[in-house]
Amino acid sequence: MNNPITIRDRILVFMHHLNMSPQTFAYKCMLSQAAISNLSENSHDGTFLKIYSAFPELSPLWLKLGKGEMLRPTSKMTEIPEIKSEDYFILSQHEVKNAMQEFSEARNLVQKQMEHYTEVIAQKDNQISRLLSMIEEKDKTIVKLTEMITTNN
């Protein structure tokens, strides 16, 4: 396979393979489009981890080095896949710490978003309760007016 020269080119080939827009690809990786378009050999390993998490079928060896096939080989449950050292990246303690920090920050962001959504839902529930009370009051008024009209006739 004639591999594209840069990581950015390989990402474009992979996106084309998936028939996916850059916006969708970035969204699925939980990265900005700028992070995707600026991807290079010097990019933060956490960026690559997000890509591999979103697309486990993508070969890290192909993406980073342009070696091998774009997609990892699929194996049947009964087969034991051959493990080669070039299929995996060894992360330093610093890289693992950075990845854990990014995960923690992402988790905190999700927690804050959940708290915000919970608050918004509570406000909406309160508004719905008030509207239902208003409707009930209007219904009572309509019943009283109807009774008055029928009594007067």
Side-chain angles (χ1 to χ4, degrees):
M1 171 186 231
N2 190 359
N3 286 319
I5 296 172
T6 66
I7 290 177
R8 186 171 181 268
D9 292 337
R10 289 189 286 275
I11 284 291
L12 291 172
V13 168
F14 184 63
M15 283 190 286
H16 178 74
H17 167 76
L18 297 173
N19 195 23
M20 188 176 287
S21 70
Q23 296 87 354
T24 304
F25 184 83
Y27 175 78
K28 287 191 178 255
C29 295
M30 297 190 316
L31 293 167
S32 69
Q33 284 183 257
I36 298 296
S37 57
N38 294 326
L39 202 60
S40 72
E41 292 80 9
N42 299 323
S43 294
H44 193 273
D45 283 332
T47 302
F48 288 103
L49 288 174
K50 288 180 179 182
I51 293 170
Y52 303 141
S53 293
F55 301 100
E57 70 273 23
L58 179 61
S59 167
L61 186 63
W62 178 82
L63 180 60
K64 279 196 121 174
L65 305 175
K67 294 182 180 179
E69 296 297 319
M70 176 175 65
L71 301 177
R72 292 182 185 200
T74 56
S75 62
K76 296 178 184 168
M77 293 299 287
T78 57
E79 296 177 358
I80 299 174
E82 180 183 350
I83 299 174
K84 300 179 223 162
S85 62
E86 66 263 13
D87 288 340
Y88 299 92
F89 292 97
I90 297 174
L91 299 176
S92 69
Q93 192 172 16
H94 177 73
E95 290 167 326
V96 170
K97 184 177 178 180
N98 284 342
M100 290 176 65
Q101 178 66 33
E102 286 182 16
F103 174 78
S104 178
E105 290 168 4
R107 188 187 68 223
N108 290 340
L109 177 63
V110 168
Q111 181 65 32
K112 286 179 185 176
Q113 288 173 333
M114 290 298 295
E115 289 170 2
H116 171 74
Y117 292 141
T118 301
E119 184 178 312
V120 168
I121 290 170
Q123 290 172 353
K124 297 298 178 190
D125 283 347
N126 190 11
Q127 288 175 339
I128 290 169
S129 293
R130 287 194 330 248
L131 286 171
L132 287 172
S133 293
M134 290 170 65
I135 290 170
E136 288 172 2
E137 287 301 316
K138 298 290 182 185
D139 284 347
K140 288 178 185 176
T141 303
I142 290 171
V143 168
K144 285 181 184 177
L145 288 173
T146 304
E147 287 174 357
M148 288 173 56
I149 291 172
T150 55
T151 318
N152 289 337
N153 286 338

